[in-house]
Amino acid sequence: MQCVTWSEEDWATLLYTIQQGHCLLMLGPDASAEYVNDQWSPLTEQLAHELFLSLDADIQENIDSTNLTQVAQYYAVQKKRNALNAKIHFFYHSKQRVENALYTDLASLPFDLVLTSTPDTHFAQALERQGKTPAIDYYKFRGSNPTMVQEGTVARPLVYHLYGMLDDPESLVLTE
């Protein structure tokens, strides 16, 4: 990954744009993480590794143990979709109490719309700790989606889960 250095002017422009409410927050899969042995460890990679270890050795040879969608695809084929849903449910529920300093800092900013690519509720919890009341909605992979989603506000930001929510296993987009 190439690292880009921002100038003071770039940072000032970003902060101004956020303060003016002209910015949405997009949280990728690596944002939902915790420190493990003093190292930033994305939950998606932890889950992928856990699923990977349950696969047959001949399958393990051909896949990337950190690629959740790839590992989930093979897991669903070998163990079936319900087993995958259960494993994901128990994994994320075991991480319910994980606090993320990045989320704490981002939750204090005035975003009214947050798009997230993980099914957990960690960012919504960080918003609640900041005294906000998040509205939560999600894409339903298997099911009907509303034509319009309610807009959020700074006090009640909309957290929209692009790949479904844990509480609705049929909504989850997990495999390739």
Side-chain angles (χ1 to χ4, degrees):
M1 176 190 296
Q2 183 178 3
C3 193
V4 176
T5 304
W6 280 29
S7 69
E8 288 296 320
E9 183 180 0
D10 293 332
W11 283 109
T13 301
L14 175 62
L15 291 174
Y16 174 80
T17 304
I18 292 169
Q19 289 167 345
Q20 295 302 306
H22 300 294
C23 198
L24 66 84
L25 178 60
M26 174 67 197
L27 298 171
D30 291 351
S32 191
E34 66 181 335
Y35 278 99
V36 176
N37 300 326
D38 294 327
Q39 193 120 13
W40 188 251
S41 179
L43 297 184
T44 53
E45 286 185 15
Q46 290 179 37
L47 175 57
H49 187 70
E50 206 172 289
L51 294 170
F52 177 82
L53 294 175
S54 299
L55 295 172
D56 292 341
D58 60 321
I59 293 173
Q60 290 178 345
E61 294 174 9
N62 300 314
I63 60 176
D64 176 2
S65 67
T66 64
N67 182 329
L68 179 57
T69 54
Q70 186 181 58
V71 174
Q73 178 70 40
Y74 282 92
Y75 191 94
V77 168
Q78 186 178 351
K79 310 266 187 189
K80 302 300 176 221
R81 176 69 187 216
N82 282 337
L84 176 61
N85 287 348
K87 192 82 163 170
I88 288 168
H89 171 85
F90 291 121
F91 173 82
Y92 278 110
H93 282 286
S94 75
K95 303 292 184 176
Q96 253 339 72
R97 300 283 182 241
V98 169
E99 286 197 33
N100 177 325
L102 172 64
Y103 280 2
T104 300
D105 292 342
L106 290 172
S108 70
L109 297 173
F111 291 106
D112 58 9
L113 175 59
V114 179
L115 302 176
T116 182
S117 63
T118 62
D120 63 69
T121 58
H122 293 136
F123 192 72
Q125 292 169 3
L127 288 167
E128 289 169 351
R129 286 191 296 274
Q130 293 292 323
K132 299 177 183 180
T133 309
I136 299 173
D137 206 345
Y138 58 96
Y139 175 75
K140 297 163 188 73
F141 180 61
R142 291 181 182 87
S144 62
N145 287 288
T147 55
M148 296 294 289
V149 176
Q150 294 295 321
E151 288 187 34
T153 65
V154 171
R156 188 175 164 75
L158 172 61
V159 179
Y160 192 86
H161 293 262
L162 294 173
Y163 300 117
M165 283 284 297
L166 283 176
D167 294 341
D168 183 358
E170 291 301 308
S171 73
L172 295 174
V173 178
L174 302 169
T175 59
E176 294 179 324

mmCIF file of all heavy atoms in Angstrom, residues 5 7 34 41 67 73 90 107 133 150 162 169-170 172 174:
data_model
loop_
_atom_site.group_PDB
_atom_site.id
_atom_site.type_symbol
_atom_site.label_atom_id
_atom_site.label_comp_id
_atom_site.label_asym_id
_atom_site.label_seq_id
_atom_site.Cartn_x
_atom_site.Cartn_y
_atom_site.Cartn_z
ATOM 1 N N THR A 5 1.512 11.501 1.812
ATOM 2 C CA THR A 5 1.699 12.506 2.850
ATOM 3 C C THR A 5 0.827 13.709 2.538
ATOM 4 O O THR A 5 0.856 14.228 1.420
ATOM 5 C CB THR A 5 3.178 12.951 2.912
ATOM 6 O OG1 THR A 5 3.987 11.795 3.114
ATOM 7 C CG2 THR A 5 3.391 13.935 4.043
ATOM 8 N N SER A 7 -0.413 17.622 3.214
ATOM 9 C CA SER A 7 0.099 18.904 3.682
ATOM 10 C C SER A 7 -0.822 19.451 4.765
ATOM 11 O O SER A 7 -1.946 18.967 4.944
ATOM 12 C CB SER A 7 0.162 19.899 2.513
ATOM 13 O OG SER A 7 -1.158 20.243 2.104
ATOM 14 N N GLU A 34 -8.806 -4.411 16.744
ATOM 15 C CA GLU A 34 -8.385 -4.310 18.136
ATOM 16 C C GLU A 34 -6.877 -4.518 18.179
ATOM 17 O O GLU A 34 -6.278 -5.020 17.232
ATOM 18 C CB GLU A 34 -9.099 -5.345 18.999
ATOM 19 C CG GLU A 34 -8.733 -6.785 18.671
ATOM 20 C CD GLU A 34 -9.469 -7.816 19.519
ATOM 21 O OE1 GLU A 34 -9.888 -7.490 20.639
ATOM 22 O OE2 GLU A 34 -9.614 -8.956 19.050
ATOM 23 N N SER A 41 -5.014 -5.287 14.740
ATOM 24 C CA SER A 41 -5.480 -6.545 14.159
ATOM 25 C C SER A 41 -6.933 -6.408 13.709
ATOM 26 O O SER A 41 -7.850 -6.433 14.541
ATOM 27 C CB SER A 41 -5.340 -7.662 15.209
ATOM 28 O OG SER A 41 -5.794 -8.882 14.693
ATOM 29 N N ASN A 67 -7.980 -13.364 3.641
ATOM 30 C CA ASN A 67 -9.021 -12.860 2.740
ATOM 31 C C ASN A 67 -10.370 -13.444 3.173
ATOM 32 O O ASN A 67 -10.707 -14.580 2.843
ATOM 33 C CB ASN A 67 -8.686 -13.250 1.302
ATOM 34 C CG ASN A 67 -9.681 -12.723 0.301
ATOM 35 O OD1 ASN A 67 -10.867 -12.567 0.586
ATOM 36 N ND2 ASN A 67 -9.204 -12.459 -0.909
ATOM 37 N N GLN A 73 -16.074 -18.286 1.420
ATOM 38 C CA GLN A 73 -16.607 -19.040 0.280
ATOM 39 C C GLN A 73 -16.300 -20.522 0.443
ATOM 40 O O GLN A 73 -17.184 -21.374 0.334
ATOM 41 C CB GLN A 73 -15.997 -18.519 -1.029
ATOM 42 C CG GLN A 73 -16.452 -19.273 -2.262
ATOM 43 C CD GLN A 73 -17.900 -19.006 -2.601
ATOM 44 O OE1 GLN A 73 -18.359 -17.883 -2.498
ATOM 45 N NE2 GLN A 73 -18.614 -20.022 -3.006
ATOM 46 N N PHE A 90 -21.082 -15.882 16.425
ATOM 47 C CA PHE A 90 -20.371 -16.086 17.683
ATOM 48 C C PHE A 90 -19.060 -15.295 17.734
ATOM 49 O O PHE A 90 -18.687 -14.769 18.780
ATOM 50 C CB PHE A 90 -20.134 -17.571 17.956
ATOM 51 C CG PHE A 90 -21.404 -18.316 18.251
ATOM 52 C CD1 PHE A 90 -21.794 -19.394 17.471
ATOM 53 C CD2 PHE A 90 -22.233 -17.930 19.299
ATOM 54 C CE1 PHE A 90 -22.974 -20.076 17.731
ATOM 55 C CE2 PHE A 90 -23.414 -18.606 19.576
ATOM 56 C CZ PHE A 90 -23.789 -19.677 18.781
ATOM 57 N N ALA A 107 -16.083 9.057 16.136
ATOM 58 C CA ALA A 107 -17.450 9.250 16.642
ATOM 59 C C ALA A 107 -17.649 10.642 17.223
ATOM 60 O O ALA A 107 -18.780 11.129 17.291
ATOM 61 C CB ALA A 107 -17.788 8.186 17.680
ATOM 62 N N THR A 133 -27.263 9.246 19.265
ATOM 63 C CA THR A 133 -28.230 8.163 19.117
ATOM 64 C C THR A 133 -28.241 7.725 17.654
ATOM 65 O O THR A 133 -28.988 8.268 16.848
ATOM 66 C CB THR A 133 -29.638 8.633 19.531
ATOM 67 O OG1 THR A 133 -29.563 9.230 20.819
ATOM 68 C CG2 THR A 133 -30.621 7.476 19.547
ATOM 69 N N GLN A 150 -33.817 6.808 5.579
ATOM 70 C CA GLN A 150 -33.925 8.058 6.322
ATOM 71 C C GLN A 150 -32.549 8.707 6.473
ATOM 72 O O GLN A 150 -31.568 8.035 6.765
ATOM 73 C CB GLN A 150 -34.517 7.801 7.712
ATOM 74 C CG GLN A 150 -35.942 7.321 7.700
ATOM 75 C CD GLN A 150 -36.887 8.381 7.151
ATOM 76 O OE1 GLN A 150 -36.735 9.561 7.412
ATOM 77 N NE2 GLN A 150 -37.865 7.948 6.382
ATOM 78 N N LEU A 162 -23.182 -1.741 4.566
ATOM 79 C CA LEU A 162 -23.245 -2.076 3.141
ATOM 80 C C LEU A 162 -23.399 -3.563 2.855
ATOM 81 O O LEU A 162 -23.945 -3.939 1.832
ATOM 82 C CB LEU A 162 -21.991 -1.564 2.429
ATOM 83 C CG LEU A 162 -21.830 -0.064 2.385
ATOM 84 C CD1 LEU A 162 -20.461 0.304 1.808
ATOM 85 C CD2 LEU A 162 -22.943 0.566 1.561
ATOM 86 N N PRO A 169 -28.995 -12.644 9.577
ATOM 87 C CA PRO A 169 -28.025 -13.451 8.848
ATOM 88 C C PRO A 169 -28.292 -13.547 7.342
ATOM 89 O O PRO A 169 -27.350 -13.638 6.555
ATOM 90 C CB PRO A 169 -28.123 -14.832 9.493
ATOM 91 C CG PRO A 169 -28.696 -14.594 10.829
ATOM 92 C CD PRO A 169 -29.583 -13.383 10.701
ATOM 93 N N GLU A 170 -29.541 -13.498 6.950
ATOM 94 C CA GLU A 170 -29.859 -13.579 5.523
ATOM 95 C C GLU A 170 -29.419 -12.328 4.758
ATOM 96 O O GLU A 170 -29.326 -12.330 3.544
ATOM 97 C CB GLU A 170 -31.346 -13.843 5.316
ATOM 98 C CG GLU A 170 -31.778 -15.234 5.762
ATOM 99 C CD GLU A 170 -31.040 -16.354 5.048
ATOM 100 O OE1 GLU A 170 -31.000 -16.355 3.800
ATOM 101 O OE2 GLU A 170 -30.480 -17.222 5.733
ATOM 102 N N LEU A 172 -26.486 -10.854 5.191
ATOM 103 C CA LEU A 172 -25.028 -10.781 5.103
ATOM 104 C C LEU A 172 -24.469 -11.190 3.748
ATOM 105 O O LEU A 172 -24.851 -12.213 3.186
ATOM 106 C CB LEU A 172 -24.402 -11.668 6.180
ATOM 107 C CG LEU A 172 -24.668 -11.243 7.635
ATOM 108 C CD1 LEU A 172 -24.115 -12.290 8.590
ATOM 109 C CD2 LEU A 172 -24.067 -9.886 7.910
ATOM 110 N N LEU A 174 -21.163 -12.437 2.504
ATOM 111 C CA LEU A 174 -19.975 -12.990 3.154
ATOM 112 C C LEU A 174 -18.995 -13.649 2.194
ATOM 113 O O LEU A 174 -17.814 -13.730 2.479
ATOM 114 C CB LEU A 174 -20.391 -14.055 4.178
ATOM 115 C CG LEU A 174 -21.337 -13.586 5.280
ATOM 116 C CD1 LEU A 174 -21.882 -14.771 6.043
ATOM 117 C CD2 LEU A 174 -20.609 -12.637 6.205
#
